Amino acid sequence: MRNAIRILVVLMAFCAYGQNGVIKGKVTDKQSEMPLAGVTVTVVSAPNLSTITDETGSFQILNVPLGRQMIAAVYLSYTTASVPNIEVTSGKDVFLSIALTENYNTLSEVVVKAENSKAKAINKMAAVSTRQFSLEEVNRYAGGRSDVARLVSNFAGVSAANDSRNDIVVRGNSPSGMLWRIEGIPVPSPNHFSTLGTTGSPVSALNPNLLANSDFLTSAFPAEYGNAISGVFDLNLRKGNTEKNEFMVGVGAYPGAEFMAEGPIGRQGGSFVVAGRYGIAGYLGGAGTGAAIPNYNDLAFNMDFGKTSWGTISIYGIGGLSNIEFLGKDAEPDDLFSAKDANQELRSNFGVIGVSHKLFLNQKTYLKTNISTTTNANKYDEERIYNLGTATETTIPFTASNNAENRITFSSYINSKVNKKVTIRSGLLFESFHIDYSLNDRDRQADANADGYPDFNSIYNTKGNYSVFQPYAQGQFRLSDRVTFHAGLHGQLFSISNEFVLEPRTSLTYAINSKNSISLGYGMHHQNVPAPILFQNENVGGQLVQTNRNLDLVRSQHFVVGYDVKLADKWRGKLEVYYQAIDKAAIESFSSSYSSLTEGADFGYSTDKTSLVSQGKGHNQGIELTIEKFFNKGYHALFTGSVFESKYEGSDGIERNSPFNNRYVFNALGGKEFKVGKLKKNTISFDGKVTTAGGRFYTPVDLTASQAAGYEIKQNDKAYSLQYDAYFRLDLRTGFKFNSSKKKQSHLLYLELQNVTDNKNIFINRYNRLTNQVNRIDQIGFFPDFGYKFQF
């Protein structure tokens, strides 16, 4: 420990004199996205550091002091925009994308009034229940594990009281209701160890080093988003440095060993950025998988070929591979995923590659087109060891699951700024799926052949194609300098059932004054029932029939009212009240507590749900509060609170808690940075996070029936009637950042203590077929994370 302290002191002394940094970027009109020439861009803390954008909207400011900076962009007849909390280092240039909004009334002079643009969505059509986030937040917040999904669990309306997975529960909805988009293209679950139909997993395959500022939407989202009923992750990839090569290498418990390279391409202002990671968490005991070592790695890239006479073209891609093997001989009684009488192997892969083209048709209109292909495959095999440890011990195949989904997506839309008061966007999205799903299982199957073991039956086995077609049109209408109205219409055609729906979307924002605003939003949304339910086989007259294929699209209607207030300089408050009505969910045709609204928070789906009907209902309602101190004067703070209710009805007509009805979630985060060194160019930071949430509701186990059957049987007439203990977790993080005095280099060291109090948060109460009892399994306890990054 003393040696480590000596090393840090030496590094700090060595780095006392550091070179300054570079801020560059591009300024555009927010509605038309055309570059703006002649914009004055200034470093607020050093007004002498100022420049003017060129004809391409580009700017560059040299010799910027290291540390946190804020940029202001000022242009005649446009609202001034500010970009706060820019972290300037000697190891990497900073690139900013700044969008300015034209004033409703033309001004004769410029009034410089910096506004925190981070409080607004990147998507100009999104006005309610939207939060913009940045790469800097992913890396700064304690407990994030370099995972964007875990980052948004800090936001109001989101709960993720489960350390073992990064499922996103938005306002009491199932995680399967989420839509993931990358560069405007819907993608399958971008996670390692993912399984068919789920949207979460233990480890994300998204490398945050490649992400630009992005939007997260939780309700009444604009008309361009479809086939989702809970929320949208709209992710953007950043571009590389257009002038010089830059590199990063690092290592950390959760991101693993990582590298990144970026630099210019050609002579048209093009660039590339590529990043890769290799996971090491399992070797350090932080994966919660006992003796089993999870293997996972991913690679991502974005190549932008610059501006040409025929527009701009970029090629992007993300790929991830993962596998893990659980051997019964290595299992411990408290393992989350393994058992003594089972050998399991899971393999999965995820990939997307796409081409994006953007062409400006005139000064106010552009056409953007994306073509991509995605793949998502997982294979799970389990052997079950019967009569373990006896003379008649027998090992036989128990589960064989092999699922592959390939998708080709075409997206194109036209965006036109008619004038400073009206902007129109319309387009279409077409997805063509090729599927190859199979599942054979002995779980809960009868022993029809009387061999002493459950039969190895086909649960589903399907190959084929289907498509989803989604046209849409939407507009932004600035009715006055205080009132903005958004309206749109989204269509969806699902080829399996040939169902076509139209969905109205609308929102209204009224700025009471410069500090207060209110907003109203409504949206109708549909989504197909998850594929593992849709394609299940039922034995009808000796023939296997997919009796769920013609289920209706699940319908959801969102109503939201919001109030936004500027509490003080760099302080923001937001309050939202919402109600969500859901119908046409899949339920059983006989009296039962089942609903498809309860699926999606585990590694698989129910395997015995056939002949379902689209008559299920549910609702979610709640109130959310956000108080945020944007990073300024060396510190930041964020408090979010959600109090909500999530209910559903099965075919028995009884209203029950959904498994996602935690009832409340509270987060408190904060951090402080201290400048150190003779010139105060290096920093030491301290961050913390406290989370508490209500426990998940669960269905009690029927122990007597389970002991007789040899597998878990639940008391489904008491579905989700019991609640686990409340969740609590405290995370602490400290970081040391050093800027080189002689070279373009910077170093970052960090130490994170996760679940500092080693709180025993429950994972599940489940029937253990070996002990013949219901046993409690807890989540991951205290774990220290660490990391080092070198940028040059």
Side-chain angles (χ1 to χ4, degrees):
M1 184 66 182
R2 291 180 179 178
N3 290 334
I5 294 175
R6 291 192 186 102
I7 292 172
L8 290 176
V9 172
V10 171
L11 283 171
M12 291 165 58
F14 180 75
C15 299
Y17 297 93
Q19 64 178 31
N20 288 342
V22 177
I23 296 179
K24 59 180 68 174
K26 188 172 185 178
V27 182
T28 60
D29 180 289
K30 187 173 180 66
Q31 275 66 41
S32 70
E33 299 187 22
M34 282 292 294
L36 295 177
V39 179
T40 301
V41 183
T42 305
V43 178
V44 174
S45 64
N48 60 309
L49 295 177
S50 182
T51 189
I52 304 294
T53 59
D54 61 19
E55 67 277 2
T56 68
S58 300
F59 69 89
Q60 178 173 272
I61 304 177
L62 304 176
N63 203 35
V64 179
L66 303 182
R68 306 276 179 176
Q69 301 294 341
M70 182 168 73
I71 289 290
V74 182
Y75 194 50
L76 183 66
S77 298
Y78 279 73
T79 301
T80 296
S82 68
V83 183
N85 190 31
I86 304 167
E87 189 172 19
V88 181
T89 69
S90 61
K92 179 172 175 50
D93 294 351
V94 176
F95 185 88
L96 302 176
S97 295
I98 303 175
L100 301 184
T101 300
E102 189 174 3
N103 288 326
Y104 184 83
N105 296 311
T106 302
L107 301 178
S108 58
E109 61 182 56
V110 175
V111 178
V112 178
K113 184 177 181 181
E115 297 180 353
N116 201 310
S117 53
K118 189 176 176 187
K120 299 179 180 180
I122 296 173
N123 189 333
K124 52 182 166 284
M125 299 293 176
V128 297
S129 303
T130 305
R131 174 64 153 79
Q132 182 186 157
F133 66 92
S134 65
L135 164 63
E136 195 271 340
E137 289 176 292
V138 178
N139 292 327
R140 186 208 320 154
Y141 288 162
R145 300 185 184 178
S146 297
D147 186 340
V148 294
R150 297 183 192 275
L151 163 71
V152 300
S153 67
N154 299 311
F155 300 161
V158 184
S159 60
N162 188 341
D163 298 334
S164 64
R165 292 174 60 86
N166 62 3
D167 293 289
I168 303 170
V169 176
V170 177
R171 294 180 170 177
N173 285 281
S174 164
S176 62
M178 281 293 303
L179 169 65
W180 286 88
R181 299 208 325 177
I182 297 176
E183 288 293 294
I185 293 294
V187 297
S189 172
N191 290 291
H192 295 297
F193 308 105
S194 63
T195 53
L196 175 65
T198 61
T199 59
S201 85
V203 184
S204 174
L206 290 172
N207 191 327
N209 294 304
L210 214 72
L211 295 180
N213 282 19
S214 303
D215 286 337
F216 181 69
L217 303 91
T218 59
S219 178
F221 19 94
E224 64 193 81
Y225 304 109
N227 206 22
I229 62 172
S230 69
V232 178
F233 236 131
D234 195 2
L235 301 172
N236 301 309
L237 302 180
R238 71 177 184 87
K239 295 178 172 59
N241 196 316
T242 59
E243 297 182 355
K244 63 186 73 172
N245 292 319
E246 294 180 328
F247 305 92
M248 183 276 290
V249 294
V251 64
Y254 284 106
E258 55 182 340
F259 81 92
M260 182 177 65
E262 60 182 285
I265 295 178
R267 300 179 180 179
Q268 304 294 329
S271 67
F272 78 92
V273 56
V274 59
R277 302 184 299 179
Y278 181 82
I280 63 173
Y283 296 97
L284 302 174
T289 56
I293 302 298
N295 300 300
Y296 56 93
N297 51 80
D298 48 66
L299 182 70
F301 69 90
N302 189 20
M303 300 174 62
D304 176 65
F305 294 97
K307 184 178 181 180
T308 67
S309 58
W310 31 271
T312 58
I313 292 181
S314 61
I315 301 175
Y316 56 91
I318 299 175
L321 299 172
S322 55
N323 67 84
I324 189 170
E325 186 176 29
F326 297 96
L327 298 178
K329 65 182 181 64
D330 299 326
E332 297 294 336
D334 59 348
D335 282 352
L336 298 183
F337 309 113
S338 60
K340 282 288 187 182
D341 65 343
N343 298 320
Q344 308 165 69
E345 183 180 20
L346 172 66
R347 294 182 178 274
S348 70
N349 65 68
F350 159 79
V352 55
I353 185 167
V355 179
S356 177
H357 176 248
K358 187 175 184 179
L359 177 65
F360 281 95
L361 304 178
N362 54 48
Q363 291 295 311
K364 294 186 176 182
T365 305
Y366 70 85
L367 175 69
K368 187 170 185 179
T369 302
N370 269 294
I371 300 176
S372 75
T373 180
T374 63
T375 182
N376 185 30
N378 59 82
K379 188 175 187 296
Y380 175 75
D381 292 294
E382 178 181 339
E383 295 177 334
R384 185 65 58 84
I385 307 170
Y386 284 87
N387 305 315
L388 181 66
T390 69
T392 58
E393 180 176 303
T394 304
T395 301
I396 60 174
F398 190 82
T399 301
S401 174
N402 195 351
N403 302 301
E405 177 185 284
N406 297 301
R407 184 186 327 186
I408 296 176
T409 304
F410 174 82
S411 170
S412 185
Y413 69 85
I414 189 168
N415 186 96
S416 180
K417 179 182 178 181
V418 180
N419 51 51
K420 59 187 176 183
K421 300 177 182 179
V422 178
T423 302
I424 302 295
R425 178 180 293 179
S426 62
L428 58 88
L429 174 73
F430 179 76
E431 298 173 277
S432 177
F433 294 80
H434 176 74
I435 58 174
D436 188 354
Y437 302 153
S438 68
L439 171 61
N440 290 76
D441 207 352
R442 297 182 190 271
D443 187 37
R444 304 173 193 278
Q445 302 302 306
D447 182 15
N449 59 8
D451 65 352
Y453 306 107
D455 293 341
F456 199 47
N457 289 330
S458 172
I459 306 303
Y460 53 77
N461 187 0
T462 186
K463 292 183 180 181
N465 301 283
Y466 71 92
S467 61
V468 180
F469 176 63
Q470 302 176 69
Y472 62 89
Q474 56 191 351
Q476 180 190 76
F477 308 92
R478 302 174 68 191
L479 305 181
S480 72
D481 58 345
R482 294 188 177 187
V483 180
T484 302
F485 176 65
H486 295 87
L489 190 65
H490 178 272
Q492 182 169 327
L493 174 63
F494 188 54
S495 69
I496 292 180
S497 61
N498 287 320
E499 182 180 2
F500 180 75
V501 294
L502 285 174
E503 305 166 340
R505 317 277 178 86
T506 185
S507 67
L508 180 72
T509 302
Y510 171 61
I512 302 171
N513 51 44
S514 61
K515 294 184 178 181
N516 300 269
S517 66
I518 58 175
S519 56
L520 305 171
Y522 167 77
M524 179 184 292
H525 311 272
H526 289 80
Q527 185 182 37
N528 61 272
V529 173
I533 303 297
L534 208 61
F535 298 115
Q536 282 192 26
N537 288 328
E538 182 178 5
N539 192 320
V540 180
Q543 299 292 322
L544 295 180
V545 181
Q546 294 174 350
T547 54
N548 294 335
R549 284 180 65 94
N550 292 319
L551 287 170
D552 292 341
L553 298 173
V554 179
R555 180 171 61 186
S556 171
Q557 298 188 73
H558 296 250
F559 305 84
V560 59
V561 178
Y563 171 65
D564 207 308
V565 58
K566 183 178 179 181
L567 299 170
D569 185 35
K570 304 300 181 297
W571 282 89
R572 171 206 181 206
K574 186 173 185 179
L575 182 72
E576 283 198 339
V577 180
Y578 66 88
Y579 181 82
Q580 179 187 6
I582 306 173
D583 63 353
K584 297 188 177 182
I587 58 176
E588 292 183 298
S589 55
F590 54 89
S591 180
S592 82
S593 60
Y594 173 78
S595 170
S596 60
L597 299 179
T598 65
E599 301 272 10
D602 206 340
F603 286 93
Y605 286 79
S606 300
T607 59
D608 58 350
K609 305 303 178 186
T610 55
S611 292
L612 301 179
V613 294
S614 300
Q615 298 176 8
K617 298 179 181 179
H619 73 267
N620 302 309
Q621 58 188 5
I623 184 170
E624 301 167 355
L625 174 66
T626 298
I627 299 176
E628 185 167 12
K629 165 64 168 64
F630 296 104
F631 205 107
N632 181 249
K633 297 182 180 180
Y635 76 99
H636 70 95
L638 173 66
F639 171 81
T640 61
S642 306
V643 178
F644 62 98
E645 179 181 71
S646 177
K647 300 282 189 174
Y648 82 97
E649 289 184 20
S651 55
D652 59 8
I654 299 175
E655 185 177 81
R656 291 181 168 86
N657 296 297
S658 88
F660 315 107
N661 188 22
N662 299 81
R663 289 185 171 171
Y664 68 88
V665 182
F666 296 102
N667 296 287
L669 301 89
K672 174 69 177 175
E673 280 189 0
F674 299 91
K675 296 181 178 181
V676 296
K678 189 172 183 178
L679 297 180
K680 305 297 184 183
K681 294 185 176 183
N682 310 306
T683 60
I684 298 177
S685 62
F686 298 93
D687 290 87
K689 171 188 172 183
V690 177
T691 297
T692 183
R696 292 175 293 128
F697 279 89
Y698 69 99
T699 303
V701 174
D702 187 331
L703 181 58
T704 302
S706 299
Q707 290 172 336
Y711 56 80
E712 184 176 85
I713 297 177
K714 295 184 177 181
Q715 301 179 48
N716 289 318
D717 59 328
K718 299 179 181 178
Y720 307 109
S721 59
L722 301 181
Q723 188 176 20
Y724 289 130
D725 294 338
Y727 176 94
F728 177 84
R729 176 166 158 168
L730 169 65
D731 299 321
L732 299 176
R733 176 187 174 105
T734 184
F736 305 86
K737 185 167 291 184
F738 307 102
N739 291 292
S740 173
S741 60
K742 298 181 180 180
K743 298 181 180 180
K744 186 178 173 62
Q745 298 177 352
S746 65
H747 306 262
L748 170 65
L749 297 166
Y750 67 85
L751 173 65
E752 190 167 293
L753 305 178
Q754 299 184 4
N755 195 0
V756 173
T757 62
D758 196 28
N759 197 58
K760 304 301 181 183
N761 293 307
I762 187 169
F763 177 65
I764 195 172
N765 284 331
R766 65 185 178 193
Y767 171 70
N768 186 326
R769 58 185 176 268
L770 298 180
T771 64
N772 223 16
Q773 297 295 321
V774 175
N775 296 143
R776 168 175 168 149
I777 305 295
D778 288 330
Q779 301 185 44
I780 300 172
F782 169 74
F783 181 76
D785 186 10
F786 64 90
Y788 167 74
K789 286 186 179 181
F790 175 41
Q791 291 182 323
F792 59 101

